[in-house]
Amino acid sequence: DFQCPFCIRAHPTVTKVLSTYGDKVRFVYRNFPLASHPDARPAAEAGACAAEQGKFWELHDRLFAGQTKLGIDDLKQHAAAVGVDAARFNSCFDQRKFQKDIDADMEMAADAGVNATPAFFVNGRPLIGAQPFEAFKRLIDEELAAVTAAK
């Protein structure tokens, strides 16, 4: 949820997890824009349109850095600033091309028991909320040890 204050708090922790574990972990981003955050849904759709041009992570980082500027015009400006083809992005965004994909992400999350953001899963084990790095480290280390023991 690009409008979630707890998601922005989790962002540095996720960055640390990725830099610490490198290719030992795979980070998959799914959208779960909460209804209480009216700009989150359009921001999620903007992210999908940017992903279509290989610019998801650039837009992701920019949206979290400018979380108070998520209106329609802001999203288009953010996308242009990260280097997407503006005409292609605007067409995608205005037509809500990825609306069903966002719906699918939300259904998958709800089926997994998610009702708040941020929510993380480490090999299916939930970690809910803006948890400290140590909470991620504990779960990841346990899962890595289990993989090593199984070999």
Side-chain angles (χ1 to χ4, degrees):
D1 182 322
F2 285 109
Q3 199 174 5
C4 170
F6 299 105
C7 292
I8 189 64
R9 274 203 305 208
H11 184 63
T13 303
V14 170
T15 300
K16 184 174 180 180
V17 166
L18 295 174
S19 68
T20 301
Y21 289 96
D23 65 357
K24 293 179 182 177
V25 297
R26 182 171 59 118
F27 184 66
V28 177
Y29 188 94
R30 299 283 186 223
N31 293 286
F32 196 72
L34 299 172
S36 60
H37 298 148
D39 294 331
R41 177 64 187 238
E45 291 182 22
C49 290
E52 184 177 53
Q53 296 186 42
K55 296 286 187 177
F56 173 79
W57 292 110
E58 292 89 340
L59 186 61
H60 168 277
D61 292 348
R62 187 170 173 95
L63 295 182
F64 276 126
Q67 205 174 38
T68 60
K69 295 187 179 218
L70 298 176
I72 301 303
D73 291 338
D74 297 318
L75 293 170
K76 291 179 178 184
Q77 288 172 5
H78 289 311
V82 300
V84 300
D85 176 301
R88 195 168 138 213
F89 174 87
N90 290 345
S91 175
C92 173
F93 184 73
D94 293 342
Q95 293 175 20
R96 301 190 71 195
K97 181 177 180 179
F98 291 102
Q99 179 179 1
K100 289 181 182 176
D101 296 271
I102 306 303
D103 291 342
D105 278 359
M106 293 174 67
E107 286 178 33
M108 184 186 327
D111 289 348
V114 174
N115 60 14
T117 57
F120 302 92
F121 290 87
V122 178
N123 282 354
R125 297 170 63 186
L127 191 60
I128 308 300
Q131 298 289 325
F133 173 76
E134 292 72 26
F136 285 90
K137 183 179 183 336
R138 181 181 53 79
L139 282 181
I140 293 168
D141 288 349
E142 287 174 9
E143 290 300 316
L144 291 173
V147 168
T148 302
K151 287 184 178 180

